[in-house]
Amino acid sequence: MTDTEKFLQYMKTRKSVKLDDEIFPLFDKFAQEALKITFEINSKYHKPEELNELFSKLTGKQVDKSFRLFPPFYTDCGKNITVGKNVFINMCCKFQDQGGITIDDGCFIGHNVTMATLNHDIDPEHRPNMHPEPIKINKHVWIGSDCTILPGITIGEGSVIGAGSVVTKDIPPHCIAAGNPCRIIKYLPRKDGLK
């Protein structure tokens, strides 16, 4: 089993990560790899197909040719990001993806969006311990600029998150939600007639 497979398998369990766990050194290993690749992404102009190859290298998964990224882009891992087709990530986004970030087809991620999948322990004596929780962005979601998505959040298909929101709870499908904390403002009409 490769280090990446071992890491991803452990992160799926959502178990806490402690300083003395054998998985802990992989956090630093992947952070160093991510710093190197994101520096390449951010330090000069690349054609869209070149950015797709760099992003594929960062995540360890081939992204679809329809994927678009506008640098700069920041992550301290990269190995636990999965993006679908026709996904657009705008400038200055920051993904802390150790716990897993999945962005389904047709999603738009606005400028300066932060997605965080780790919490530190509340107990000061155990503060270095980390608790991973995945973020799931379902199909055709639009996340406005300057939003923060907290660990463990799922955003339902077709929803819109207003600029500057802090998403602290799951958001259902087909709605507009905004604010700090983010809350539903209204539901959107669905083409299939369902509510």
Side-chain angles (χ1 to χ4, degrees):
M1 183 180 292
T2 67
D3 282 348
T4 301
E5 290 169 336
K6 187 189 306 180
F7 178 79
L8 294 176
Q9 188 175 59
Y10 190 92
M11 289 298 106
K12 281 182 184 176
T13 69
R14 300 186 188 184
K15 292 179 185 173
S16 296
V17 180
K18 300 172 185 170
L19 287 174
D20 57 355
D21 287 341
E22 69 171 290
I23 206 78
F24 190 83
L26 294 179
F27 277 68
D28 187 57
K29 175 185 177 179
F30 294 137
Q32 294 308 310
E33 289 177 13
L35 289 170
K36 184 176 180 180
I37 297 167
T38 54
F39 183 80
E40 174 65 21
I41 288 171
N42 298 335
S43 65
K44 63 181 180 180
Y45 172 76
H46 297 280
K47 294 177 181 177
E49 56 271 18
E50 293 170 334
L51 283 172
N52 284 8
E53 284 308 309
L54 285 165
F55 201 84
S56 297
K57 185 177 177 184
L58 176 68
T59 63
K61 305 171 200 80
Q62 185 63 47
V63 297
D64 189 77
K65 64 182 180 180
S66 63
F67 172 74
R68 286 294 174 266
L69 172 70
F70 281 7
F73 175 79
Y74 305 96
T75 180
D76 54 0
C77 182
K79 297 298 184 225
N80 213 355
I81 299 171
T82 303
V83 296
K85 296 178 181 178
N86 297 304
V87 168
F88 173 62
I89 299 174
N90 217 326
M91 297 176 181
C92 299
C93 289
K94 303 166 202 76
F95 288 9
Q96 181 201 47
D97 63 281
Q98 289 88 342
I101 294 173
T102 302
I103 302 172
D104 282 345
D105 297 350
C107 289
F108 296 166
I109 311 299
H111 291 90
N112 204 38
V113 168
T114 298
M115 296 193 198
T117 65
L118 291 176
N119 272 321
H120 285 283
D121 206 283
I122 293 173
D123 182 344
E125 292 183 23
H126 301 288
R127 187 67 43 86
N129 296 349
M130 293 175 283
H131 308 288
E133 290 288 341
I135 290 172
K136 169 75 167 161
I137 311 298
N138 284 289
K139 291 180 179 181
H140 308 294
V141 166
W142 173 20
I143 299 176
S145 297
D146 295 303
C147 289
T148 299
I149 315 297
L150 295 182
I153 296 299
T154 296
I155 298 178
E157 182 174 342
S159 286
V160 177
I161 307 300
S165 297
V166 179
V167 185
T168 61
K169 294 181 181 176
D170 290 352
I171 301 297
H174 306 289
C175 71
I176 296 175
N180 180 8
C182 191
R183 58 195 173 279
I184 298 165
I185 293 172
K186 71 175 184 176
Y187 283 90
L188 298 168
R190 291 177 57 165
K191 291 183 181 179
D192 59 13
L194 300 174
K195 293 187 178 185

